[in-house]
């Protein structure tokens, strides 16, 4: 036996894994501890594992979904084992990685962390795994489309969240041109997801500048551990009792196949395809900023309806006041036939017992609606990733490339305005050129209102609009479709198309030096990223000058256990540098103290920062009447907008006062002169990184292996928040020689000789936020699980100007409750999830940062299932938002109703 401890030799381990009742456990993992060597059991629960080069004795770890892990020490070269696995209803003390980048108990995590394991994913009642993330404590979700849901934690939510990092197998899932992850549109198939971990709050100290608000880390299944064939067929209905359309079918098909060869080589293939009819954005509330609230509505001549586009083009007409053009409803502009195609392939090769090489390719293509400064149609959008990784038990080095092709994507607001310029007739009935269309339309309106058109009732806005709209292309007509298609495939200032063929290259790695140092746990790592942007002038000013940005970072983390391992102290620090900004240090300090083995008290201080994204820095996008302009100084070198503009708030007040005066009979020049001092010069600084400092305390305990308690409180202070501000840039200097508002600049606003800009800049004021969360999970007898969590989120504006900070966009109170049992009797199981949140004001660039109310809502997801073990099949009947309450989660985004579905899942190891 002594020689066995000295020399490595070939070892053969066979066995049969069964549960406590003697039934075989299929697809259980059998792995050598701390090595890359392992296999899985077949449908009969049996396995055979050959190892070489590993010294005896060593430990193998046997685990299965829904069973407690079992460790067995191997001491002889030929061993046969028959382990019995005990059923575990739910893992209340799961192993997590994201909190410290190394494996540890979730109970002893130094920061708040949430996890969905494979069992929770399988029992998830929502239509997709990603939809079910909203049930996690502190998680916020915003739906822009059937195929696009955005997640966030700890406030400052948005429909395109570049403050929240989403990783899939360590790969940043953001699109290079948008700089945020489009939900799970280009992520992983539900069949291939092993787990998901969420860190609420700043994680920049370990994960860099994107993880400002938090981190979602999705891990897919290793083909060595999860071998075999899995197929899912899901069919459903949505738009039930929808006044905008009839009920619609949606379908979701997924397939996964994995195979190993001699425990040395393995591969996996994934494919999934979802298709359905998108949710309709059809809120036609008049949000005209220049019209008093009591005068807004369908008959307002200056009507600016929320989900009607093209009516943003306005003009003050003498004797009439402000008038807007007639727009088109979103449903006539957006492609609501949405889909998501995801293809994935991976090759895994075990170089040695300790080192594994991986190559993975992902291809995603889909259509989704996105609410940004406009409602965008991401139409046939493609995202591809190539990943190569070398990993061992104490290190990894990973390189990947992410590239996008926007294909037929477009801006619906610009699209409506371009269509509106293709049909306008002059007073002789001749169609004018697009550059004269808007002015001609207003001339027709003024002539009809003034009584100079025979047969048209004078002084009647409805009659004047009807006359001005003569020749308007009707949605669905050949002329409309031709104009629409031409504009979609025309980019930049001359069309509504959005083109991006951008990419980024990323390399990161880490090494665990704990065994070498021994005195402390020591982890080091670093990363490098290169952005290579190309939009051919449609999103950036890059037709001739390509935009390339380099950034890098490195981190160090040290931990030490004291007082009989009851106290764990951890400190980490990271340095990041973007070539366009000064470098940033982000430290984190944490302590976890364990009392009586089960009560864990934690405290941490951490910092976060976020570099401006390539879009923040260099976007130069025409969105109809407004140009979105990034905040890097050289992005506006040929413009004077940062130096010469008026604030939008003062311009709205000015235009409203001028419009009212003109409507009352005051000549336009006089009305402008009388109200020019309402205008205020904008002082907008160029962009720089955001900063955050956060303090958190928490308590987590597993009581009697029955009740999991998790409570935490955090307080965060924010500076230099990156935000958008809208300004008006007149042709004339905004100030005269006397330092007062220049009458000529005020006249420019009255005559339309100005341009709107949405500028990227930083908040000048400091704000803070705090929150309290409580989560409880209780294991009731006979396998029933009851869970609940509640979150209080509070934003402190202090003395800050609400127009000068990023908007919080988060409900004050939100709660979730779940109740389920994976096996009530004879293979039947169920799960129910309830979510409720309070009302709040939503601010977004879609409405030029003017607030819109998101009403309080509650919704219930539920499913029942039948498992047929002999057929390796599960049948699931369920629904999302089963009471079919149509809810909007962001102002201007669509109202979301119920999805009812039936799913059939086959999952077999095929051994």
């Amino acid at each position: 036996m002594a020689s066995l401890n000295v020399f490595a030799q070939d070892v053969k381990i066979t066995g049969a894994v069964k549960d406590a009742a003697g039934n075989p456990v299929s697809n259980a993992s059998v792995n050598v501890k701390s090595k890359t060597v392992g296999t899985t059991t077949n449908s009969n629960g049996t396995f055979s594992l050959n190892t070489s080069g590993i010294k005896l004795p060593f430990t193998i770890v046997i685990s299965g979904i829904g069973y407690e892990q079992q460790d067995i020490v191997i001491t002889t070269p030929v061993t046969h084992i028959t382990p019995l696995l005990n059923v575990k209803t739910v893992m209340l003390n799961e192993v997590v990685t994201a909190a410290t980048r190394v494996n540890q108990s979730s109970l002893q995590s130094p920061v708040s962390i949430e996890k969905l394991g494979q069992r929770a994913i399988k029992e998830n009642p929502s239509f997709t795994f990603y939809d079910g993330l909203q049930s996690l404590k502190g998680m916020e979700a915003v739906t822009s489309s059937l195929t696009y849901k955005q997640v966030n934690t700890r406030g400052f939510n948005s429909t395109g969240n570049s403050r929240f990092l989403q990783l899939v197998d360590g790969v940043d899932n953001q699109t290079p041109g948008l700089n945020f992850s489009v939900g799970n549109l280009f992520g992983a198939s539900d069949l291939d997801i092993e787990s998901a971990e969420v860190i609420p709050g700043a994680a920049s100290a370990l994960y860099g500048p994107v993880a400002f608000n938090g981190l979602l880390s999705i891990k897919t299944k290793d083909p060595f551990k999860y071998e075999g064939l899995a197929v899912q067929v899901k069919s459903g209905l949505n738009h039930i009792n929808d006044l905008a359309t009839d009920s619609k079918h949606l379908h979701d098909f997924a397939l996964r196949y994995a195979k190993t060869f001699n425990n040395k080589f393995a591969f996996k293939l994934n494919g999934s395809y979802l298709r359905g009819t998108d949710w309709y954005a059809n809120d036609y509330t008049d949000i005209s900023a220049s019209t008093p609230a009591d005068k807004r509505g369908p008959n307002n001549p200056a009507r600016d309806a929320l989900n009607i586009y093209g009516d943003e083009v306005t003009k003050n007409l003498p004797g009439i006041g402000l008038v807007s053009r007639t727009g088109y409803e979103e449903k006539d502009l957006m492609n609501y036939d949405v889909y998501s195609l995801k293809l994935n392939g991976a090759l895994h090769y075990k170089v040695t017992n300790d080192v594994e090489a991986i190559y993975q390719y992902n291809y995603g293509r889909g259509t989704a609606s996105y609410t940004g400064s406009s409602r965008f149609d991401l139409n046939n959008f493609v995202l591809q990733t190539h990943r190569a990784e070398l990993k061992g038990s104490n290190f990894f080095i990973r390189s990947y490339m992410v590239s996008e092709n926007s294909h037929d994507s477009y801006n619906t607001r610009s699209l409506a305005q371009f269509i509106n310029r293709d049909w306008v007739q002059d007073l002789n009935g001749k169609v004018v050129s697009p550059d004269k269309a808007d002015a001609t339309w207003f001339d027709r309106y003024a002539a009809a209102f003034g009584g100079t058109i025979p047969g048209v009732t004078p002084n009647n806005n409805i009659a004047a609009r009807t006359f001005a709209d003569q020749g308007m292309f009707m949605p669905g007509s050949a002329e409309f479709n031709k104009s629409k298609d031409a504009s979609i495939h025309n980019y930049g200032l001359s069309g509504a198309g959005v083109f991006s063929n951008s990419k980024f290259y990323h390399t990161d790695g880490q090494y665990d030096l704990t065994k070498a140092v021994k005195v402390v746990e020591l982890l080091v790592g670093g990363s490098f990223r290169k952005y290579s942007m190309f939009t051919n002038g449609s999103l950036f000013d890059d037709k001739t000058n390509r935009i390339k940005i380099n950034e890098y970072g490195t981190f160090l983390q040290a931990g030490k256990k004291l007082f009989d391992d009851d106290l764990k102290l951890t400190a980490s620090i990271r340095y990041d540098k973007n070539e366009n900004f000064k470098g940033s240090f982000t430290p984190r300090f944490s302590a976890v103290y364990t009392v009586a083995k089960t009560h864990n008290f934690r405290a941490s201080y951490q910092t976060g920062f976020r570099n401006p994204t390539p879009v923040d820095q260099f976007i130069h996008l025409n969105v109809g009447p407004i140009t979105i302009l990034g905040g890097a100084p050289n992005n506006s070198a040929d413009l004077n907008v940062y130096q010469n503009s008026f604030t939008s708030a003062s311009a709205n007040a000015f235009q409203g006062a001028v419009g009212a005066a003109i409507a009352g009979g005051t000549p336009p020049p006089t009305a402008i002169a009388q109200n020019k001092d309402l205008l205020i010069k904008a002082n907008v600084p160029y962009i720089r990184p955001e900063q955050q400092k956060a303090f958190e305390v928490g308590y987590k305990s597993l009581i009697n292996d029955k009740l999991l308690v998790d409570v935490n409180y955090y307080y965060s202070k924010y500076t230099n928040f990156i935000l958008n501000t809208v300004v008006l840039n007149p042709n004339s200097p905004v100030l005269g020689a006397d330092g007062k508002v220049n009458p000529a600049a005020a006249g420019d606003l009255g005559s339309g000789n100005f341009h709107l800009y949405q500028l990227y800049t930083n908040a000048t004021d400091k704000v803070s936020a705090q929150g309290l969360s409580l989560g409880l999970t209780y294991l009731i007898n006979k396998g029933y699980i009851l869970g609940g969590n509640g979150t209080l989120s509070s934003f402190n504006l202090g003395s800050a100007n609400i127009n000068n900070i990023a908007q919080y966009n988060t409900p004050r109170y939100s709660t979730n409750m779940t109740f389920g049992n994976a096996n009530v009797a004879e293979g039947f199981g169920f799960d129910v999830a309830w979510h409720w949140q309070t009302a709040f004001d939503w601010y977004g660039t879609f409405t030029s940062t003017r607030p819109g109310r998101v009403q309080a809502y509650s919704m219930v997801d539920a499913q029942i299932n039948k498992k047929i073990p002999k057929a390796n099949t599960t049948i699931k009947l369920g629904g999302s938002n089963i009471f079919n309450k149509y809810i909007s989660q962001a102002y201007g985004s669509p109202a979301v109703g119920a999805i009812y579905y039936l799913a059939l899942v086959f999952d077999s190891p095929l051994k």
Side-chain angles (χ1 to χ4, degrees), residues 133-142 152-155 157 200 710 712 714 770-776 787-794 808-818 834-840 854-859 889:
L133 290 173
Q134 191 170 7
S135 65
L136 295 177
K137 176 165 59 69
M139 183 67 83
E140 306 152 24
V142 174
N152 182 59
T153 59
R154 296 196 176 171
N157 203 357
D710 186 7
N712 71 279
Y714 73 90
Q770 59 183 336
L772 178 67
S773 294
L774 170 66
L776 300 171
N789 60 68
T791 300
L792 164 66
S793 302
S794 176
Y808 198 52
N809 290 343
T810 301
R812 183 172 178 82
Y813 299 102
S814 63
T815 61
N816 297 284
M817 288 193 68
T818 59
W834 171 74
H835 174 83
W836 171 83
Q837 65 181 49
T838 53
F840 64 99
V854 174
Q855 299 299 330
Y857 70 85
S858 66
M859 63 179 182
Q889 296 172 320

Side-chain angles (χ1 to χ4, degrees), residues 220-544:
T220 66
K221 296 176 181 177
D222 185 335
F224 282 113
K225 297 179 181 179
Y226 299 92
E227 191 176 2
L229 174 68
V231 179
Q232 175 181 271
V233 179
K234 188 184 297 183
S235 185
L237 288 173
N238 68 340
H239 292 286
I240 312 293
N241 296 327
D242 189 343
L243 298 178
T245 186
D246 297 328
S247 300
K248 302 293 184 181
H249 290 276
L250 63 160
H251 306 283
D252 187 9
F253 174 80
L255 181 146
R256 180 185 186 274
Y257 180 70
K259 178 69 175 175
T260 65
F261 299 91
N262 299 322
N263 198 41
K264 192 76 172 177
F265 174 76
F267 74 89
K268 68 175 180 178
L269 298 171
N270 282 282
S272 67
Y273 184 73
L274 165 69
R275 191 168 204 109
T277 300
D278 208 350
W279 303 111
Y280 281 39
N282 55 358
D283 184 344
Y284 303 134
T285 302
D286 185 0
I287 60 169
S288 172
S290 301
T291 304
D294 61 339
K295 294 184 179 180
R296 295 174 188 163
N299 295 322
N300 173 20
R303 183 190 185 200
D304 180 9
L306 186 62
N307 292 126
I308 292 178
Y309 314 129
D311 57 358
E312 306 84 8
V313 180
T314 62
K315 186 176 182 179
N316 264 309
L317 299 180
I320 303 174
L322 192 68
V323 174
S324 65
R325 289 209 56 181
T326 305
Y328 289 97
E329 296 178 1
E330 180 181 295
K331 66 181 179 63
D332 299 318
L333 302 166
M334 191 76 77
N335 177 13
Y336 281 156
D337 183 14
V338 296
Y339 71 95
S340 172
L341 171 66
K342 288 179 277 197
L343 303 175
N344 161 280
L347 304 175
H348 292 238
Y349 179 72
K350 293 182 178 178
V351 182
T352 68
N353 291 326
D354 295 309
V355 178
E356 181 177 342
I358 302 169
Y359 169 75
Q360 182 171 314
Y361 171 70
N362 299 312
Y363 176 90
R365 182 184 178 107
T367 294
S369 307
Y370 155 56
T371 310
S373 54
S374 175
R375 284 277 287 165
F376 291 89
D377 194 326
L378 305 180
N379 196 22
N380 298 318
F381 200 101
V382 171
L383 189 76
Q384 300 181 75
T385 62
H386 296 267
R387 163 187 162 227
E389 181 172 347
L390 192 68
K391 68 176 184 178
S393 58
N394 62 347
F395 80 95
F396 75 79
I397 183 167
R398 175 192 306 125
S399 290
Y400 58 88
M401 185 269 282
V402 180
S403 65
E404 69 183 6
N405 190 327
S406 61
H407 280 285
D408 306 313
S409 301
Y410 59 93
N411 176 340
T412 58
R413 183 171 285 168
S414 295
L415 177 61
Q417 293 166 7
F418 278 110
I419 294 174
N420 257 349
R421 294 176 185 136
D422 278 350
W423 52 263
V424 175
Q425 304 173 1
D426 61 20
L427 293 176
N428 296 316
K430 183 179 178 181
V431 176
V432 300
S433 60
D435 61 316
K436 296 182 176 64
D438 288 334
T440 303
W441 188 93
F442 287 114
D443 289 343
R444 286 176 63 91
Y445 191 106
F449 189 90
T452 62
I453 306 299
V456 178
T457 304
N459 301 313
N460 186 304
N461 282 295
I462 295 176
R465 182 172 297 277
T466 301
F467 176 75
D469 283 341
Q470 287 180 1
M472 185 175 184
F473 294 160
M474 292 298 100
S477 67
E479 298 86 356
F480 178 90
N481 291 336
K482 181 179 179 181
S483 176
K484 178 180 176 181
D485 186 69
S487 185
I488 287 173
H489 294 97
N490 203 344
Y491 308 104
L493 297 177
S494 57
V498 177
F499 173 83
S500 179
N501 198 358
S502 301
K503 55 179 68 76
F504 67 84
Y505 305 87
H506 185 99
T507 296
D508 65 332
Q510 74 176 41
Y511 198 96
D512 189 343
L513 295 167
T514 302
K515 291 182 179 180
V517 176
K518 297 181 181 179
V519 179
V520 295
E521 298 173 6
L522 189 63
L523 188 71
V524 297
S527 63
F528 174 81
R529 177 171 295 188
K530 183 181 186 67
Y531 288 96
S532 178
M533 314 302 292
F534 181 60
T535 68
N536 199 30
S538 67
L539 188 65
F540 303 109
D541 186 14
D542 61 352
K543 275 197 171 183
T544 55

Side-chain angles (χ1 to χ4, degrees), residues 237-240 279 880-884 886 896-900:
L237 288 173
N238 68 340
H239 292 286
I240 312 293
W279 303 111
S880 298
N881 191 9
I882 60 173
F883 294 111
N884 199 30
Y886 279 82
V896 178
I899 298 177
Y900 304 107

